[in-house]
Amino acid sequence: MGDDAGDGLESPSDNDAGEDLAPPDDDSESSDLAPPDDDGADDGITAVPDEADTAGWSSFWPSGPPGDAEGIPPTQDPAGDVATPSAWPASTTPIPEVPQPPPPGRRRAVAVIAVAVALAVAGGVGAVIALSGGSSKAPPAAAPTAAPSPSLLPPAGLTASADPFSVTLSWSQPAGGAAIDTYLIYRDDSPVDEVAAGTTTYSDKGVTPGKKYTYELKAKGGTLETEFVSVSVTTPKPPVADARLAGDFNVNFTIKSSTGFQTVDPHFTAGWHFKPKCKTGACDVTWSDLSEDSLRAALKRKGAKYTGSDSGQFFATCGSHLVTSDLTIDFKVTKAKGIDGEWLATRIEGTVTHFASAQLGCVSSSATITIAGTLLS
């Protein structure tokens, strides 16, 4: 290099004798400086061109010098050394390394993150959600919370009123809750019936007098059912006097007293049949013997008592012949029971009086006989 004033290098002054910096000699073979390769690769070293000449920049920049390059490029001497650069031209600042683009799968995420950061700084957090929808599938919207299903309310105020042969249930349905389809009715843990919604009364005629029943009721709607509500009731017993005397009875006879008989059987049994003269309830009856069809009489009813009489050949004999006698029947109903929806007499107790006048060579006779009859099931 010459001693041009524009090379930017100064010789060390006497005052700088202690400094370690000094331009390398042009002939120094140990210099670390080298001109750029002909292929244009950046070796990290550039020489300072002369301000007066730019003709040699093509070897320094094969593609042509930058527009603002000044001076002349560095020249090589026979030993391959170059002059020490004085400064970097403005256009020769090292270009930072360009990063490789992210893989395709990450590009969208990088873009979304960048947009999200920018919008978050600007307070546009809400917009990030919309912009991040650039993916092939939008994020699922939050499912709405289902409103709780209305509960099924049990019937309220269940009451029961009883007659001897029926029980009437009454209840109400509270306002609100799920819709009611039907009511299920149980008696003593057994199903009795099912009634439609809107019904709030029910009559059960499958009961008998003098018995305690427990009723249970629950509401049903769709697949829902409520808990049971319950009530207990005892059906009343009608008076025994109101029992209907009907059907067949097994009657036991016991001789209480007798006269005019040679021999007497103190106990014997007969079958009696009673046929009411009314369609329902207690009333007068017709009495007949199941073995001796000729024995029959009309019995009058007065309360629980039945009385009647008949004349005929009953059971007294003279020798081998039946004698004609008068028979008076007087008994009362002592027990009754509800059977098939009817209040029926189940037991009778009383007396039968027999009197036969002297006839066929035999003396008169009489007997008082107690009876006790039980309804045959």
Side-chain angles (χ1 to χ4, degrees), residues 249-274:
F249 283 71
N250 182 58
V251 182
N252 294 314
F253 293 80
T254 300
I255 302 296
K256 185 178 180 180
S257 61
S258 64
T259 59
F261 293 97
Q262 291 180 339
T263 59
V264 174
D265 186 356
H267 302 285
F268 59 96
T269 302
W272 285 3
H273 177 77
F274 299 100

Side-chain angles (χ1 to χ4, degrees), residues 216-227:
E216 296 169 304
L217 177 70
K218 67 178 176 180
K220 180 179 179 182
T223 59
L224 301 177
E225 291 185 0
T226 67
E227 295 295 326

